Amino acid sequence: MGRTEVPRASFVLGCLSDTSPDEGLIEDLTVEDKAVEQLAEGLLSHYLPDLQRSKQALQELTQNQVVLLDTLEQEISKFKECHSMLDINALFAEAKHYHAKLVNIRKEMLMLHEKTSKLKKRALKLQQKRQKEELEREQQREKEFEREKQLTARPAKRT
């Protein structure tokens, strides 16, 4: 990559020498600036590609996370729809049960209506029969009364 390395020993020795801080300051600064610059470039060239790949991977993960969150929301809404469908199915089953009960009650009411109609007809026939029998008894009594009247001894008329 075109990196030039500065020997570490000279850099470290230059920094840790027993000379006074003012001696060779300009010379040390140029060497140190170049070394710092070269070290920075080397560090950047070494870690920058990995950091860029990591940044790109994080961006992809973030985008995938957004997609996954959207998908999760859709699945949650589907799950809620399924639960509401189950509730609706339960309501339909309950409605069907009560409809069957109503149909049975209606059948029973029709059957009771038929029975009461038959009983009313029978009661009317019995009443008519009793009235006829009473009328016949009354007529029979009148006939017997007339007969007895005719059989009773009457005084004969004088002529």
Side-chain angles (χ1 to χ4, degrees):
M1 281 196 191
R3 277 189 342 196
T4 56
E5 291 189 25
V6 175
R8 283 194 215 171
S10 67
F11 175 69
V12 172
L13 288 176
C15 291
L16 298 176
S17 67
D18 286 339
T19 60
S20 73
D22 292 337
E23 279 184 43
L25 188 61
I26 296 175
E27 186 180 310
D28 285 343
L29 280 177
T30 58
V31 171
E32 283 184 23
D33 286 343
K34 285 182 182 179
V36 168
E37 195 175 309
Q38 287 176 347
L39 284 170
E41 285 179 22
L43 187 65
L44 283 174
S45 66
H46 181 69
Y47 288 109
L48 191 61
D50 290 338
L51 288 173
Q52 286 175 342
R53 282 193 298 271
S54 297
K55 180 181 177 183
Q56 189 175 11
L58 283 173
Q59 286 175 343
E60 286 178 23
L61 285 174
T62 305
Q63 289 173 352
N64 288 341
Q65 185 179 18
V66 169
V67 170
L68 287 174
L69 285 174
D70 289 341
T71 305
L72 183 63
E73 286 179 20
Q74 290 174 357
E75 292 298 321
I76 288 172
S77 66
K78 287 179 185 177
F79 187 69
K80 286 180 181 178
E81 286 177 20
C82 286
H83 274 297
S84 65
M85 290 299 286
L86 290 175
D87 292 341
I88 290 172
N89 287 339
L91 286 175
F92 276 119
E94 191 175 356
K96 187 177 180 180
H97 171 72
Y98 285 117
H99 181 270
K101 276 188 170 185
L102 285 173
V103 168
N104 286 337
I105 290 172
R106 182 180 172 138
K107 284 180 184 178
E108 287 181 23
M109 289 178 68
L110 288 173
M111 186 178 68
L112 289 173
H113 177 71
E114 288 177 11
K115 283 185 178 181
T116 53
S117 296
K118 287 179 182 178
L119 286 173
K120 283 180 183 177
K121 286 180 184 178
R122 185 173 174 204
L124 184 62
K125 285 182 182 179
L126 286 173
Q127 185 180 9
Q128 288 174 350
K129 186 177 178 182
R130 284 185 186 156
Q131 285 176 351
K132 187 178 178 183
E133 286 176 355
E134 282 183 32
L135 183 62
E136 287 176 358
R137 273 190 239 133
E138 188 64 34
Q139 288 175 353
Q140 187 68 26
R141 279 190 210 129
E142 283 182 20
K143 282 183 186 177
E144 285 182 18
F145 181 70
E146 284 294 320
R147 189 169 171 229
E148 279 185 28
K149 212 181 195 185
Q150 288 176 357
L151 290 177
T152 342
R154 290 186 243 160
K157 290 185 183 179
R158 290 191 190 174
T159 44

